[in-house]
Amino acid sequence: MNGSALAANSDDYSSARQTDASYTDTQILRALELIYDSRSSNEHRQDASQYLEQVKAQDQAPNHGYILAANKSHPPVVRHYGLSLLGDAIRHRWMGFTAEQSLALRAWVVKLAQGVAQEDPVFIRNKIAQLWVEIATRSWVLEWMDMDEQLVRLWTGSACQKELVLEILETLSENSFGKEETTTALRGSELGKACVEIFTPAQIMIDHFPSRDTSINVRYGDDGWLVRISDSLRWYNQEGHNNPGLQTCAVKALLTLKSVVYWIMLRAIATTDCIQRIFECLTMSNQAMQLVAVEALCALYNRPICTDDDVRDLVWPLFKHETVNIFQTLYQWSVVDANDMDEEKYLLCKKFSEMIHIVGQFLDTRPNIIPQDADLPYFLDLLLRIVQNESLHVSIAVLHLWIQLLDSDSIGDSPPVMSLIGPLLEICSQRLLRYEALSEDSDIPAILFLKEDIDTIPERHAFLGNYARFCKDIVNCIVQKEPLDAIVHILGQTDQALSRLYDGEPPMNAQTYSKISIPALKLDAQFSVIEAALLGYSRWRAVRRTNKDNTMTAVTRPLNQKIQQWCAGLMELRFEDPTILQRVVNLAVEFVESVLKGNGEFVIRVFHFTFDMMKFLKDIPEHPKAFIYNEAVVECGRYCGQQLQRLALREADQLLAAYGDTEATVGRYCQSKNVDQQERDRCISVLFVIVQRAANINEQKREARLEEFIAHVMRTWQDPALSASLSSFAGFCDLLGLSNLQSYLVKRKVNQIEDWAATPLDEEGQGLRLQMEAARDNLPLRATKTFLGISVERTEPGTPPYQVANALWSKYLPIILPNLLQLISLGHSFSDPASWSGLPVELKGIPARVLRDRYWQVGISSGSRDDFYSQIEETKLTMEGLASTIRSSLRMVRETSYRLLYSMSLLGNTLYDYQGLPEPLARAIFGNASLLTIHQTGTILAGIPPIIHSCPPHARAHFVPPLLIAMFEFLDQRVSTEWNAIEQRKAAGGTDEDLVEEMKDEAILRQLTNTCVGFVVRLLEPDPPTSSPPSPPPPPSLRAFILTTPPALQPLILFCTHALRMHDSRACGLITRALRSILPAFADPTTAAAASVREYLASDVLKACIESLHDPYFVEIQSDLALLIASILAAYATHTPTPRLILLSLPGMTVPGVDAALVKLVEKGDGRKRGAVVLKLLEGLRGVSVSELGRLPKGERVRSALEKSYVQGSVEGLKGSRERSPDLGGVADMFA
């Protein structure tokens, strides 16, 4: 490209057509025609597209672009292509232009802007505005000093020119103060200062910055754009009632104000008519104007407004009757019907609620200057109306606000607030229904709105969880204000609900039973209200005790008596529904664990009630063809056992008073023929924990009694037959009742059976299945888990219960551990086909099929969770049922063993000082784990990391490295292999059925990946800063130990390197932050091992980051990757030449460009600026630019920060269609 070409007279470009460029223009037009002509062949289209891409690289490209864009006789697509040629030159070649060339390009863009007309398509006008901004970000305040004057002159033109100016100003504002735009970030604060200068009225600038440098003047006129836009908005509102064109201008003006009000000086807003103009838009009948006006108010009032003058001028006018009346009118107009939803109006309603939440917070944060003319009752009435909206999404923000107001010291007890606690309590009680349990086909308005608002099931559950929490918090706050009246009212309300539980509903039927029946959901909601009230009452009592309030007994005595009477009456009721009965037991235990805690007589009564319910459930006969009901009965019985343990743990001293009766009752129950060994152990563990935890027991008697409880379990561990069985795989199979499995599979020719679930078991198969279940129950694992787990639960080192547990188990760990490690190792080796030596060649694939997990995945699997488990029950006596029994036995061995190891870790030094344990432990867990499924791998990762974290500092050197090395070598190989398999399957394509399985596998793999990454983040989490060093200094953290132990660190960093390439944005983003945190530790290494770590970070990690930056999948986290690259370069470029050499090896890199970037990076600067330097340097290597693909176009719905907070906890959504993985071969070859 030469200067004469660009400097051609932009007023008369006909002479340019006389040159040899005329042929090229003709070719460009012909190529565009070929692309958009429906008659063109694909081959011709591809050739044309390739030619047009080549044009961008020509020196004459900007000249061609202007000629094509300026000629309005061309079709819009041709003109747009011409603009894209100009844009490409500005973005990618600006730094290489001479001053003459830059001036010519700017003149062309200004000329195009001056020629904008109403008949030009909107996308052409927006593209011209974009070009203007692209040039401004590169030259404004440097060479282009009269830009503001040119904008003002454009402003005096037509309506569409005003729109163009507003588009330019809005984009400049967003780029300078909001978006992470690379070029803008590199300009630092220059553009921001210039924006402040041209938007703010001159007098405000003089008043607030009297000594500012005025030698460089970028503004034109004294008004500033805030005044100009506000004035234009007033005119639009006056004249545009029936003029769509003016209404469009008004919307554009509001959008510009919205982008400005969150950064411009508040005094500038207060001293202009800006706010009044925005409020006028709320009264207009144009929904687009109303929505953007509300969004602008959100942007303004979400800012910190600190000074009393600003609060007085900007905030308190909102609470005047006239303003609140506007709010009331707009809200009532925006309410929609769930069965006839106006989407635009509904969006306005949601945004309006968010704005009211933001505004309402000032009542709590700045109550000291509420004006006399504020109509607070009218405003609070609006808050109540919004909370009562049928849409939970509309009401949640104001529900959240009510918590703040009720808890406020200044306004919480005011008469306007107290007058509304009754309706608030009512609506919160109604809204504690578990909506997530209702059918998707429900016609309840809340469900209809919820399906419209939130697409993914995890986000929906997170949202509903937050909503329920807010409702409970409000009940809590109300009870703290009026405990007696509120709780009596709630209990009476619950009595009414219990009496009408089945109104309009059929009685319970075992054959059609559902755990989520309407009666069960209603009762659960009402009990949730009671639980929230109990928490509020407990807090009220705690505050009164702290303040030594002697009058509290006047409330607590009658209220406690009322609560006890009500709970006693509840326990007299009988329910056939096991789900409801489980909830009743839960609430009864909650009473004695909270407000009735220490009431020995009532504790014993609740204990025996729970035990009676367990016996009652055990006597219920199994209903044929009623799996869900039968399972609910078993689950409720198990839950009762857990609650008995809970009571024993927390009320051991109270229960000791009736120990004799309790022991006799438990003994009679355990002698029943229909009680299996697992249930016996669970019941005996209740007695075990009472004896362990109660204070008034002779220590010798305590020890003897505890030994007696576990004697039968320890005899099994000490049996030489157990050790003999665990000495070989065949013995292990015999121990699990699997010795005849392989011969049976061969005999049944299972490799020839297509559908195992449709193939019934013969008599031998059924016998084999029963044999496995009996063998599983004979293992000592479950009993040991029960007794060991409960003995260390809720114990703190140094306390008597902890010392008792340590004294009891320390002598048994050497007996248990060798066999336990063998159980883990053999349980893992079962997944190895080599272990199945008795199978012929044609059955070699059968082990994988036997061990293939069946699981239900929310949002992916067809049918409900209950349907899934019903299908499992229906196939119990089939070949698939036999395989399920095998998997269940192995799963029990693995998971119970992991749990035992965790419980042992709670014994502290008893486990960690065990000599010679770490290496065998690492081999047992990870040695044979490589062939476990991803689902099974996840259970390892759930059980083992806590053992590492709990290791005492003195034992880390010998205990932690073997486990960490084995774990990360295993995880790196396992997770990387699975990601490669997923990408290959995507590339290969497949049927819809394959797609469902692939999505389930990918969901599980993402969960595992994020669990692994979460473990890494926790290991490498920096120590929290302290204001002063503690005395004595604490021992080094686990992070410090790992960073100074290269053998343990190396496999961890290798996993992190590979995780940077795994297609999971969340995991990759977390890894970049974890790696950034450890870079300073190796900037100046003192050992050869540390220097090798630095070289690895400066080479392999850097390469992995660059590859991912090139991958279009990671477009949303390119800023995170760039920041890690920048951090590596800034930390290490002055210590080692490796990073510089890697950069120079990349395509398109030059020595001056790389060296200049390194200088900027090594200089101290904020992360945003450093990241921008990297993104600019590697712009040609990024697969897709952030600005082109990674951002949503304007006008598309984007969640606000407040909305995101209500659905936090969401997981990365799964795509419903296959996508081919991008070809990364080119970037991988960069490092060859």
Side-chain angles (χ1 to χ4, degrees):
M1 176 176 174
N2 53 56
S4 60
L6 268 176
N9 189 339
S10 58
D11 292 321
D12 182 13
Y13 53 82
S14 59
S15 59
R17 294 184 177 274
Q18 309 298 322
T19 69
D20 57 354
S22 61
Y23 174 75
T24 307
D25 291 338
T26 304
Q27 292 291 86
I28 292 172
L29 289 170
R30 178 58 185 152
L32 289 167
E33 289 173 3
L34 279 171
I35 290 173
Y36 291 100
D37 191 338
S38 60
R39 296 168 296 180
S40 300
S41 67
N42 286 336
E43 183 180 358
H44 286 163
R45 280 200 184 93
Q46 291 172 0
D47 290 342
S49 297
Q50 186 176 7
Y51 171 75
L52 292 177
E53 284 299 313
Q54 292 172 350
V55 170
K56 293 181 180 180
Q58 295 181 3
D59 290 342
Q60 296 285 346
N63 190 34
H64 300 314
Y66 175 69
I67 291 171
L68 294 173
N71 190 341
K72 296 197 175 187
S73 65
H74 287 320
V77 294
V78 174
R79 296 181 62 201
H80 189 271
Y81 175 74
L83 294 172
S84 71
L85 290 178
L86 290 171
D88 188 77
I90 295 169
R91 281 191 299 274
H92 302 299
R93 298 155 67 183
W94 183 266
M95 296 301 294
F97 290 163
T98 64
E100 182 186 28
Q101 291 170 329
S102 301
L103 181 61
L105 259 178
R106 194 172 79 211
W108 284 346
V109 172
V110 171
K111 187 67 175 178
L112 290 169
Q114 292 169 343
V116 163
Q118 192 64 45
E119 59 270 15
D120 291 330
V122 173
F123 69 88
I124 293 290
R125 287 184 257 160
N126 288 344
K127 186 68 175 178
I128 292 172
Q130 180 188 348
L131 295 180
W132 185 298
V133 174
E134 292 276 9
I135 293 178
T137 56
R138 289 162 174 80
S139 65
W140 187 33
V141 194
L142 297 175
E143 305 93 32
W144 194 3
M145 303 303 297
D146 62 343
M147 186 192 79
D148 194 41
E149 179 180 357
Q150 290 173 323
L151 287 174
V152 172
R153 297 193 186 283
L154 270 178
W155 183 252
T156 61
S158 63
C160 66
Q161 288 179 320
K162 279 186 168 62
E163 285 186 50
L164 180 75
V165 171
L166 291 169
E167 176 72 19
I168 292 169
L169 292 171
E170 179 192 359
T171 308
L172 269 176
S173 169
E174 289 182 348
N175 286 357
S176 300
F177 294 96
K179 292 181 180 178
E180 293 183 4
E181 207 279 326
T182 304
T183 306
T184 306
L186 291 173
R187 293 287 307 275
S189 60
E190 290 177 339
L191 294 177
K193 290 179 179 178
C195 283
V196 171
E197 185 72 44
I198 67 171
F199 273 95
T200 309
Q203 190 57 50
I204 297 294
M205 295 296 294
I206 293 171
D207 293 343
H208 285 75
F209 304 105
S211 59
R212 76 186 194 283
D213 182 11
T214 57
S215 60
I216 301 177
N217 184 27
V218 296
R219 71 180 297 137
Y220 181 76
D222 292 338
D223 288 343
W225 284 107
L226 189 65
V227 172
R228 295 187 191 103
I229 296 171
S230 298
D231 290 345
S232 69
L233 200 54
R234 175 196 296 157
W235 185 76
Y236 294 147
N237 291 339
Q238 291 173 349
E239 305 295 330
H241 288 278
N242 299 310
N243 188 325
L246 290 183
Q247 289 177 355
T248 301
C249 288
V251 170
K252 196 66 201 170
L254 283 167
L255 285 169
T256 307
L257 287 178
K258 170 189 163 185
S259 74
V260 171
V261 293
Y262 87 94
W263 57 261
I264 201 168
M265 283 185 291
L266 291 172
R267 280 290 89 193
I269 298 174
T271 55
T272 62
D273 293 334
C274 175
I275 293 298
Q276 290 88 329
R277 303 291 79 79
I278 294 175
F279 269 101
E280 287 173 3
C281 295
L282 297 179
T283 64
M284 303 293 287
S285 58
N286 185 295
Q287 288 184 23
M289 289 178 62
Q290 291 171 326
L291 176 61
V292 182
V294 169
E295 290 177 337
L297 293 174
C298 285
L300 170 60
Y301 292 108
N302 226 1
R303 295 178 59 179
I305 302 180
C306 302
T307 69
D308 288 352
D309 287 343
D310 289 335
V311 173
R312 184 189 63 247
D313 295 340
L314 296 175
V315 176
W316 292 132
L318 303 179
F319 297 97
K320 292 184 178 180
H321 180 84
E322 297 78 9
T323 309
V324 178
N325 196 52
I326 293 174
F327 288 158
Q328 289 268 17
T329 303
L330 179 60
Y331 170 70
Q332 290 299 331
W333 180 84
S334 69
V335 174
V336 299
D337 186 341
N339 295 296
D340 183 22
M341 200 178 302
D342 182 329
E343 292 186 6
E344 291 185 4
K345 189 182 287 189
Y346 182 48
L347 177 60
L348 171 62
C349 191
K350 290 188 286 187
K351 201 67 187 179
F352 177 80
S353 171
E354 183 179 335
M355 185 267 289
I356 291 297
H357 164 89
I358 294 168
V359 168
Q361 290 184 91
F362 287 100
L363 292 175
D364 176 38
T365 58
R366 301 302 297 272
N368 54 313
I369 51 175
I370 298 177
Q372 294 295 322
D373 56 350
D375 195 343
L376 291 187
Y378 199 23
F379 184 79
L380 294 174
D381 176 72
L382 172 65
L383 300 187
L384 180 64
R385 288 172 182 268
I386 297 175
V387 165
Q388 292 169 334
N389 192 290
E390 291 181 326
S391 166
L392 304 184
H393 207 287
V394 168
S395 66
I396 190 170
V398 177
L399 189 72
H400 193 184
L401 172 63
W402 268 113
I403 299 171
Q404 295 174 255
L405 298 182
L406 289 168
D407 202 38
S408 170
D409 292 334
S410 55
I411 198 173
D413 294 323
S414 65
V417 170
M418 294 298 291
S419 67
L420 297 177
I421 62 174
L424 271 176
L425 184 59
E426 186 70 24
I427 191 64
C428 288
S429 300
Q430 295 171 4
R431 296 282 171 85
L432 276 170
L433 191 71
R434 287 196 299 118
Y435 293 99
E436 66 271 21
L438 295 174
S439 168
E440 284 276 324
D441 301 327
S442 172
D443 60 355
I444 296 177
I447 297 295
L448 298 177
F449 280 119
L450 203 58
K451 289 193 293 186
E452 172 70 20
D453 294 325
I454 306 175
D455 296 328
T456 68
I457 300 297
E459 284 190 340
R460 197 176 297 173
H461 285 185
F463 172 85
L464 290 170
N466 284 322
Y467 197 97
R469 180 165 56 86
F470 293 159
C471 288
K472 291 175 184 177
D473 285 347
I474 288 178
V475 174
N476 186 329
C477 291
I478 291 173
V479 170
Q480 289 186 65
K481 295 179 181 301
E482 298 288 346
L484 184 59
D485 292 344
I487 290 180
V488 169
H489 172 77
I490 289 169
L491 295 180
Q493 198 177 48
T494 307
D495 286 332
Q496 294 179 16
L498 289 169
S499 66
R500 300 196 304 264
L501 203 56
Y502 282 91
D503 286 1
E505 298 293 331
M508 195 211 75
N509 186 322
Q511 305 298 327
T512 59
Y513 179 78
S514 172
K515 294 181 183 178
I516 52 174
S517 64
I518 295 300
L521 291 175
K522 287 180 179 176
L523 179 131
D524 175 74
Q526 198 58 45
F527 280 13
S528 295
V529 177
I530 293 176
E531 288 166 346
L534 293 180
L535 181 59
Y537 180 37
S538 297
R539 289 178 177 173
W540 178 86
R541 293 196 309 185
V543 170
R544 293 302 185 279
R545 288 195 191 100
T546 302
N547 297 336
K548 298 181 180 180
D549 186 346
N550 297 325
T551 64
M552 66 176 288
T553 55
V555 175
T556 56
R557 185 175 292 114
L559 187 50
N560 288 354
Q561 186 177 3
K562 174 67 178 176
I563 291 172
Q564 185 171 329
Q565 290 173 349
W566 188 90
C567 185
L570 177 67
M571 291 188 291
E572 294 296 325
L573 300 177
R574 288 295 175 264
F575 299 95
E576 295 181 3
D577 188 331
T579 301
I580 290 178
L581 181 56
Q582 180 173 323
R583 196 68 178 88
V584 170
V585 169
N586 171 265
L587 183 62
V589 174
E590 191 63 38
F591 273 117
V592 299
E593 287 300 304
S594 56
V595 297
L596 299 179
K597 187 175 180 65
N599 186 331
E601 180 181 347
F602 201 71
V603 168
I604 294 170
R605 184 171 182 177
V606 171
F607 182 90
H608 285 288
F609 163 73
T610 306
F611 201 95
D612 290 342
M613 291 304 99
M614 187 172 68
K615 291 192 294 183
F616 163 73
L617 291 160
K618 195 64 183 176
D619 293 335
I620 296 177
E622 186 171 301
H623 286 252
K625 298 183 180 180
F627 167 72
I628 296 176
Y629 175 76
N630 294 333
E631 183 67 20
V633 170
V634 172
E635 184 180 316
C636 185
R638 191 180 301 120
Y639 182 80
C640 289
Q642 293 167 355
Q643 293 306 296
L644 291 173
Q645 291 176 333
R646 176 184 172 190
L647 285 168
L649 279 169
R650 303 185 184 187
E651 302 289 345
D653 289 320
Q654 307 292 340
L655 292 172
L656 185 64
Y659 182 80
D661 292 340
T662 302
E663 185 177 31
T665 302
V666 170
R668 286 192 298 272
Y669 178 77
C670 291
Q671 290 172 5
S672 177
K673 293 182 179 179
N674 62 347
V675 176
D676 60 29
Q677 187 59 48
Q678 188 177 356
E679 290 176 281
R680 290 189 186 96
D681 289 333
R682 192 158 48 236
C683 289
I684 293 172
S685 72
V686 174
L687 302 177
F688 176 96
V689 79
I690 293 173
V691 173
Q692 181 204 3
R693 306 295 172 107
N696 298 322
I697 296 182
N698 177 273
E699 290 303 323
Q700 291 181 340
K701 291 182 179 180
R702 188 199 309 271
E703 182 180 349
R705 197 73 180 95
L706 294 176
E707 291 278 4
E708 183 181 338
F709 285 135
I710 64 171
H712 69 289
V713 183
M714 295 314 305
R715 281 195 296 270
T716 307
W717 283 111
Q718 292 170 315
D719 188 350
L722 177 64
S723 299
S725 296
L726 293 175
S727 63
S728 66
F729 183 76
F732 174 73
C733 291
D734 188 52
L735 196 64
L736 290 182
L738 296 169
S739 54
N740 299 322
L741 173 64
Q742 296 188 47
S743 61
Y744 178 75
L745 295 176
V746 173
K747 186 188 303 182
R748 287 297 304 267
K749 299 179 180 179
V750 291
N751 58 311
Q752 299 177 14
I753 299 175
E754 183 76 21
D755 188 355
W756 283 11
T759 305
L761 287 174
D762 57 16
E763 186 175 345
E764 182 182 356
Q766 293 185 36
L768 182 60
R769 180 178 162 276
L770 293 174
Q771 182 180 336
M772 283 188 283
E773 291 180 347
R776 181 172 60 200
D777 293 338
N778 290 332
L779 288 173
L781 286 170
R782 284 174 170 167
T784 310
K785 184 190 79 168
T786 298
F787 288 107
L788 176 57
I790 203 168
S791 66
V792 295
E793 186 176 345
R794 293 179 173 273
T795 61
E796 294 293 332
T799 61
Y802 182 84
Q803 293 170 345
V804 170
N806 244 308
L808 177 66
W809 292 104
S810 59
K811 55 180 171 290
Y812 291 126
L813 253 60
I815 298 170
I816 296 173
L817 273 170
N819 285 334
L820 182 65
L821 298 188
Q822 278 297 98
L823 278 165
I824 296 173
S825 179
L826 291 168
H828 289 177
S829 67
F830 205 91
S831 300
D832 187 353
S835 300
W836 295 56
S837 57
L839 291 179
V841 176
E842 61 270 18
L843 268 70
K844 288 300 182 183
I846 292 303
R849 187 171 176 184
V850 168
L851 299 175
R852 185 187 304 153
D853 291 311
R854 289 188 294 177
Y855 53 88
W856 183 82
Q857 189 73 20
V858 61
I860 299 175
S861 302
S862 59
S864 67
R865 186 173 180 271
D866 285 344
D867 293 338
F868 171 74
Y869 284 108
S870 294
Q871 291 172 6
I872 290 179
E873 176 66 16
E874 290 169 1
T875 60
K876 183 184 291 186
L877 299 180
T878 66
M879 287 299 302
E880 184 58 46
L882 177 66
S884 180
T885 304
I886 297 168
R887 292 192 295 269
S888 177
S889 295
L890 294 169
R891 185 164 54 248
M892 186 278 293
V893 169
R894 291 191 304 266
E895 295 179 8
T896 307
S897 299
Y898 304 153
R899 184 66 189 181
L900 276 174
L901 288 173
Y902 170 70
S903 295
M904 290 176 182
S905 74
L906 298 180
L907 295 172
N909 296 342
T910 301
L911 176 73
Y912 292 105
D913 289 345
Y914 191 96
Q915 293 301 311
L917 175 63
E919 288 78 7
L921 178 61
R923 282 196 303 271
I925 298 172
F926 303 108
N928 296 318
S930 59
L931 292 174
L932 292 176
T933 66
I934 285 295
H935 199 269
Q936 294 159 5
T937 302
T939 62
I940 296 180
L941 206 57
I944 305 308
I947 299 174
I948 295 174
H949 283 292
S950 299
C951 182
H954 77 272
R956 285 174 185 156
H958 86 276
F959 191 91
V960 171
L963 276 177
L964 272 186
I965 292 168
M967 172 177 272
F968 278 103
E969 286 178 349
F970 161 68
L971 290 176
D972 188 28
Q973 180 272 332
R974 193 75 186 88
V975 178
S976 297
T977 300
E978 287 299 322
W979 273 112
N980 291 336
I982 287 285
E983 298 303 327
Q984 289 171 8
R985 286 167 63 180
K986 285 184 178 181
T991 64
D992 290 341
E993 186 176 344
D994 292 336
L995 177 59
V996 172
E997 289 303 314
E998 180 185 308
M999 291 173 69
K1000 289 168 67 176
D1001 291 345
E1002 184 173 343
I1004 295 297
L1005 180 57
R1006 287 190 186 279
Q1007 290 175 16
L1008 177 64
T1009 304
N1010 280 277
T1011 304
C1012 295
V1013 168
F1015 179 43
V1016 170
V1017 170
R1018 190 176 172 194
L1019 287 174
L1020 300 181
E1021 188 174 11
D1023 300 330
T1026 56
S1027 55
S1028 58
S1031 180
S1037 64
L1038 182 57
R1039 164 193 162 94
F1041 170 77
I1042 293 172
L1043 293 182
T1044 54
T1045 311
L1049 179 63
Q1050 287 165 2
L1052 189 154
I1053 294 183
L1054 183 62
F1055 170 81
C1056 292
T1057 308
H1058 294 156
L1060 288 171
R1061 301 185 181 97
M1062 295 171 188
H1063 278 189
D1064 189 290
S1065 297
R1066 182 176 182 274
C1068 182
L1070 289 171
I1071 285 293
T1072 63
R1073 290 163 215 165
L1075 288 171
R1076 282 207 322 267
S1077 73
I1078 70 172
L1079 295 177
F1082 303 98
D1084 191 16
T1086 56
T1087 65
S1092 68
V1093 172
R1094 185 186 67 187
E1095 282 301 304
Y1096 184 85
L1097 291 168
S1099 57
D1100 293 63
V1101 172
L1102 180 59
K1103 292 175 184 179
C1105 286
I1106 295 172
E1107 287 185 32
S1108 293
L1109 194 70
H1110 180 72
D1111 188 341
Y1113 177 86
F1114 294 110
V1115 63
E1116 293 182 355
I1117 59 166
Q1118 282 188 359
S1119 57
D1120 289 328
L1121 291 164
L1123 194 52
L1124 176 54
I1125 294 171
S1127 300
I1128 293 172
L1129 297 174
Y1132 299 156
T1134 57
H1135 298 283
T1136 171
T1138 303
R1140 180 176 180 273
L1141 294 175
I1142 288 174
L1143 290 177
L1144 290 173
S1145 71
L1146 299 173
M1149 294 294 106
T1150 63
V1151 172
V1154 169
D1155 289 344
L1158 289 176
V1159 169
K1160 293 178 181 177
L1161 291 170
V1162 171
E1163 293 174 355
K1164 290 185 178 181
D1166 59 37
R1168 183 188 178 203
K1169 189 170 183 179
R1170 281 180 168 174
V1173 171
V1174 169
L1175 288 173
K1176 191 68 178 176
L1177 177 67
L1178 303 179
E1179 189 168 21
L1181 298 176
R1182 287 190 277 162
V1184 183
S1185 105
V1186 173
S1187 61
E1188 292 179 47
L1189 182 63
R1191 305 206 176 275
L1192 294 172
K1194 290 180 182 178
E1196 188 166 338
R1197 174 73 174 132
V1198 181
R1199 280 180 180 156
S1200 67
L1202 188 65
E1203 287 178 294
K1204 289 178 182 177
S1205 71
Y1206 295 140
V1207 294
Q1208 62 186 348
S1210 63
V1211 296
E1212 186 163 324
L1214 296 174
K1215 298 178 175 64
S1217 59
R1218 295 180 183 275
E1219 291 187 352
R1220 292 189 176 273
S1221 299
D1223 179 12
L1224 301 183
V1227 74
D1229 293 340
M1230 297 174 189
F1231 306 114

